[in-house]
């Protein structure tokens, strides 16, 4: 499915807003990622045919979720963001590094893995995505963002695709 994706990233703090638009068999779908800095809560709303709300997905620790999404997106779309004062790095091995982002007392971390030319291929975190179990408890599951087929953009290489996967204990689900 082809999707148009508009992303707003704020330079003075780790904050993002996103809007995606697509269609299936002529029926439009729109998704909006939002975060309210006053209440420090947010989520993603999805609409079909511009008028019918399908969902308003909220998650615990939405602020950390947003920060980790920023790390993954910016590695591929706006790498200068990764030089921000609120991000720290630690080597894992010759092709991986752990990144931690901390802002307003909220911290999240994940691991970047690089290809042979040092283009980011993958960011994975065990702190971004949650799953609600049958008994109502919430647990963290894995989350991975991958970009590939890098080509020259304006000043740096950009991926020609991005794939986002939820990693459950028994399966992986690509949802974007």
């Amino acid at each position: 499915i082809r999707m148009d994706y508009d992303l707003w990233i704020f330079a003075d703090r780790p904050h993002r807003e996103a809007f995606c638009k697509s269609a299936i068999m002529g029926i439009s779908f729109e998704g909006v990622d939002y975060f309210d800095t006053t209440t420090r809560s947010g989520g993603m709303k999805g609409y079909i045919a511009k008028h019918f709300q399908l969902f308003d997905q909220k998650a615990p620790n939405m602020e950390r979720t947003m920060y980790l999404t920023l790390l993954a997106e910016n590695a591929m779309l706006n790498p200068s963001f990764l030089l921000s004062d609120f991000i720290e790095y630690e080597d894992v091995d010759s092709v991986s590094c752990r990144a931690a982002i901390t802002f307003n007392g909220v911290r999240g971390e994940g691991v970047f893995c690089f290809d042979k030319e040092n283009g980011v291929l993958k960011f994975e975190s065990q702190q971004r995505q949650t799953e609600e179990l049958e008994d109502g408890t919430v647990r963290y599951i894995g989350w991975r963002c991958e970009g590939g087929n890098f080509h020259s953009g304006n000043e740096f290489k950009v991926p020609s695709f991005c794939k986002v996967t939820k990693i459950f204990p028994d399966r992986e689900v690509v949802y974007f």
Side-chain angles (χ1 to χ4, degrees), residues 73-84 89 156-157:
E73 288 172 333
N74 282 293
M76 291 182 263
L77 302 173
N78 180 26
S80 62
F81 176 85
L82 300 178
L83 300 174
S84 301
Y89 299 94
F156 56 92
K157 291 185 175 185

Side-chain angles (χ1 to χ4, degrees), residues 68 71 82 87-90 92 97-101 107-112 123:
L68 292 168
L71 282 175
L82 300 178
I87 302 173
E88 301 170 345
Y89 299 94
E90 173 188 335
V92 174
C97 74
R98 182 172 320 285
I101 183 169
R107 181 180 174 89
E109 63 181 55
V111 175
F112 284 108
F123 177 77

Side-chain angles (χ1 to χ4, degrees), residues 110-170:
V111 175
F112 284 108
C113 292
F114 301 90
D115 70 6
K116 292 179 182 175
E117 287 80 39
N118 293 326
V120 174
L121 278 181
K122 175 173 64 171
F123 177 77
E124 191 165 323
S125 177
Q126 299 297 317
Q127 298 177 339
R128 187 201 174 277
Q129 191 69 47
T130 58
E131 166 187 44
E132 186 172 342
L133 303 175
E134 289 180 12
D135 66 1
T137 59
V138 175
R139 72 173 174 184
Y140 282 96
I141 59 172
W143 180 85
R144 180 174 55 239
C145 180
E146 298 176 67
N149 293 335
F150 286 81
H151 57 79
S152 293
N154 292 333
E155 297 290 324
F156 56 92
K157 291 185 175 185
V158 294
S160 57
F161 78 87
C162 182
K163 177 172 77 170
V164 182
T165 306
K166 293 180 183 182
I167 306 167
F168 296 92
D170 60 341

